[in-house]
Amino acid sequence: MKSPRLVLEKVADNPALFVRNEASFEFRHVTELTREFETSGAIADTIEEYRERERKLAASFEASSPGAVVLADVDYDDLNEASDRLSGWRAVTRRLRELREAKLRLESHFPA
């Protein structure tokens, strides 16, 4: 993965409008994870923990991904709790992607 340079990207001139460069933030998170875990073996247990959390969340929603969840199908009384769980599932999915990328990076720099 190439190192993104910009944290913000300008998307309009008048008025000046900037958006966050998500690739830059993801690159930084993955870099922090490679420093934290140091080896691909050390990161494997954490990946498995996140996979298990992801499986439980998928089962609770009876969906294959956070994008497949339709909150309109949730009872009104359960909407806040379901929304919180869905947000958590998105965070778990994002973190799992970052952990996998960090593992691949570690494996490419320090092959077994």
Side-chain angles (χ1 to χ4, degrees):
M1 175 187 264
K2 186 179 175 184
S3 172
R5 294 189 182 271
L6 300 174
V7 174
L8 296 175
E9 295 177 357
K10 190 172 185 179
V11 293
D13 289 326
N14 191 13
L17 179 64
F18 294 85
V19 295
R20 187 166 99 160
N21 182 338
E22 293 299 327
S24 177
F25 280 90
E26 185 172 334
F27 181 85
R28 288 179 181 193
H29 289 159
V30 171
T31 300
E32 290 169 12
L33 289 169
T34 59
R35 288 184 188 133
E36 179 183 338
F37 288 97
E38 296 180 354
T39 67
S40 63
I43 206 169
D45 289 339
T46 303
I47 288 173
E48 190 51 43
E49 289 172 20
Y50 273 86
R51 280 185 183 148
E52 184 58 31
R53 290 171 67 185
E54 186 179 49
R55 282 190 286 270
K56 287 178 181 177
L57 287 161
S60 75
F61 281 104
E62 298 178 357
S64 59
S65 71
V69 174
V70 179
L71 286 178
D73 295 340
V74 176
D75 290 334
Y76 181 77
D77 294 337
D78 299 328
L79 191 56
N80 284 337
E81 189 268 335
S83 180
D84 288 346
R85 281 188 300 122
L86 182 58
S87 179
W89 190 6
R90 287 183 184 124
V92 166
T93 300
R94 183 176 46 253
R95 185 63 161 195
L96 188 52
R97 184 178 60 247
E98 292 168 351
L99 286 164
R100 288 177 177 147
E101 177 64 31
K103 185 174 188 276
L104 288 171
R105 227 190 263 182
L106 286 165
E107 288 172 344
S108 70
H109 286 87
F110 307 104

